[in-house]
Amino acid sequence: DGKSATGDVVIPETVTIDGTEYAVTSIAGNAFNDANEVTSVVVPNSVTALGGAAFANMDKLKSITIGNGVTSWGSKLAVNNYELETVVIAEGATLIGDLAFRTCPKLANVTLPSTLKSIGATAFAYAAITELNIPASVEKIGADAFKDIDTLKKVTFNSVPTSLGTT
């Protein structure tokens, strides 16, 4: 029950149930939605799928670290986290889903991996990012990915994406 979690949450790479070990490969949609006592989340490299709104609406969440195995990313992963300050996406990860960190007004520290290929629509809208380095590997940036970030002063593109959304 993710909603009753507290403090720093480190999701394990494996769990043992009735003597059998299982790899943790996905986080269900809404798994930690409204878990208001969680302050940080670490998603291991074994996770390949993140469900929609898995880490949304968490009152005290300050940081999220996402491992390199994610190939499927549900919409609104961590929306409306008003205390979220830091997002780290591990080297090897290739995508950021639509609306991933929308309306996280304190989100200023974002680490993007050099392996990133796609940034979803409205992914960082209404954040507090001041400077962003878009890796050369990025091929697609969705519409409104950085909409209404009043603090954004500098964006460096290390290559030209083949698909760049509006606004």
Side-chain angles (χ1 to χ4, degrees):
D1 177 17
K3 290 176 186 14
S4 64
T6 61
D8 299 327
V9 172
V10 177
I11 298 167
E13 290 204 9
T14 61
V15 294
T16 302
I17 301 171
D18 296 329
T20 303
E21 185 174 85
Y22 298 93
V24 176
T25 59
S26 65
I27 308 298
N30 296 303
F32 292 86
N33 190 348
D34 292 320
N36 292 322
E37 297 302 316
V38 172
T39 53
S40 70
V41 173
V42 175
V43 177
N45 293 336
S46 62
V47 171
T48 59
L50 296 171
F55 306 110
N57 307 304
M58 298 167 73
D59 290 346
K60 295 180 182 174
L61 184 65
K62 291 195 176 287
S63 71
I64 295 177
T65 301
I66 297 174
N68 64 18
V70 177
T71 57
S72 173
W73 193 305
S75 181
K76 302 179 182 178
L77 179 73
V79 297
N80 304 329
N81 284 308
Y82 295 99
E83 298 301 317
L84 184 62
E85 298 171 352
T86 303
V87 169
V88 176
I89 301 171
E91 282 297 319
T94 60
L95 75 148
I96 297 172
D98 292 345
L99 301 151
F101 304 102
R102 183 174 195 251
T103 316
C104 296
K106 291 185 180 179
L107 179 56
N109 304 307
V110 176
T111 301
L112 301 177
S114 65
T115 52
L116 189 66
K117 293 183 186 244
S118 176
I119 299 172
T122 323
F124 293 99
Y126 310 104
I129 300 166
T130 57
E131 193 171 310
L132 196 58
N133 186 13
I134 307 292
S137 58
V138 173
E139 299 168 354
K140 177 184 177 191
I141 298 177
D144 299 325
F146 306 103
K147 180 181 179 175
D148 289 330
I149 302 179
D150 298 334
T151 56
L152 189 58
K153 304 295 183 214
K154 180 179 178 183
V155 177
T156 302
F157 287 89
N158 291 291
S159 72
V160 178
T162 54
S163 175
L164 187 58
T166 59
T167 61

